[in-house]
Amino acid sequence: MPEFMTIKMKESEKARFRSWLNGLSKENQTECKKIVVDTLHGIRRKAMMLAPVNKQIGQGPFLSRQIHVILNSDRLGGMVHTQVKYAPYQEWGTGKFVKVPAFVKTMFGVDSRQWKSPRKHNHNMKPQPYFFEPARVGVNEMVVKIKNMGFKEK
């Protein structure tokens, strides 16, 4: 599965989270699972609402229909992703309009420079952010909820 438009937690954070979670009661573990699952589905819903729509007849909201959530078997993690080839270009733009917020690299570890086209004939499409901003908001809200349950960040 391509990694180009995937939102997932860093491995080191996952390990710390699972270690903390093992010390909680079954009730609190269930609540954490609910928070994680609700967050992932909330990110997906917001990204689907914000995804650009191709207004050509027969095209419609193709991109938004290709945003999916994949949950881990234990429901303590998962990812939101799309495999649509042009998704990064919709998110960040092309040519002289490429604009990638700093939080994309710091929060999600995505090096967006790979999407800057080396071609001489850039199309210069303006960015239409729909994917990473809902993820930033959703992850921040999830962190607050989990901190309220006692999880401590580094």
Side-chain angles (χ1 to χ4, degrees):
M1 175 181 313
E3 294 288 321
F4 56 86
M5 292 294 281
T6 300
I7 299 168
K8 58 186 177 181
M9 188 185 286
K10 294 176 185 171
E11 289 301 319
S12 60
E13 288 300 308
K14 268 197 264 187
R16 285 184 60 247
F17 177 66
R18 287 174 192 274
S19 172
W20 169 77
L21 199 61
N22 287 336
L24 296 180
S25 68
K26 292 288 181 198
E27 185 178 289
N28 284 345
Q29 287 181 11
T30 302
E31 181 62 25
C32 275
K33 289 178 185 182
K34 182 178 178 343
I35 290 170
V36 170
V37 171
D38 289 351
T39 298
L40 292 169
H41 284 288
I43 290 169
R44 177 180 179 255
R45 266 191 310 279
K46 288 175 189 166
M48 287 176 69
M49 288 187 324
L50 294 172
V53 175
N54 186 340
K55 295 184 174 68
Q56 290 180 357
I57 295 174
Q59 296 296 314
F62 178 77
L63 179 57
S64 68
R65 283 190 245 136
Q66 300 303 315
I67 299 170
H68 304 288
V69 171
I70 298 176
L71 295 170
N72 295 352
S73 59
D74 62 4
R75 302 179 76 78
L76 288 172
M79 61 180 148
V80 181
H81 80 105
T82 183
Q83 291 182 297
V84 175
K85 207 166 24 173
Y86 61 83
Y89 304 106
Q90 292 286 344
E91 179 80 14
W92 297 312
T94 60
K96 68 180 180 182
F97 291 113
V98 171
K99 182 180 177 189
V100 182
F103 75 83
V104 171
K105 178 141 178 113
T106 57
M107 278 185 84
F108 303 111
V110 174
D111 185 2
S112 55
R113 290 176 296 177
Q114 65 184 315
W115 302 109
K116 290 188 179 182
S117 176
R119 293 188 231 154
K120 292 181 178 138
H121 58 297
N122 287 323
H123 297 288
N124 292 325
M125 179 178 73
K126 290 184 179 179
Q128 301 176 67
Y130 66 95
F131 196 73
F132 283 96
E133 183 58 26
R136 183 187 66 79
V137 171
V139 168
N140 286 339
E141 289 172 356
M142 180 183 75
V143 167
V144 167
K145 290 175 186 175
I146 291 173
K147 278 182 175 179
N148 288 341
M149 293 183 74
F151 183 68
K152 306 235 183 322
E153 278 188 303
K154 283 185 179 179

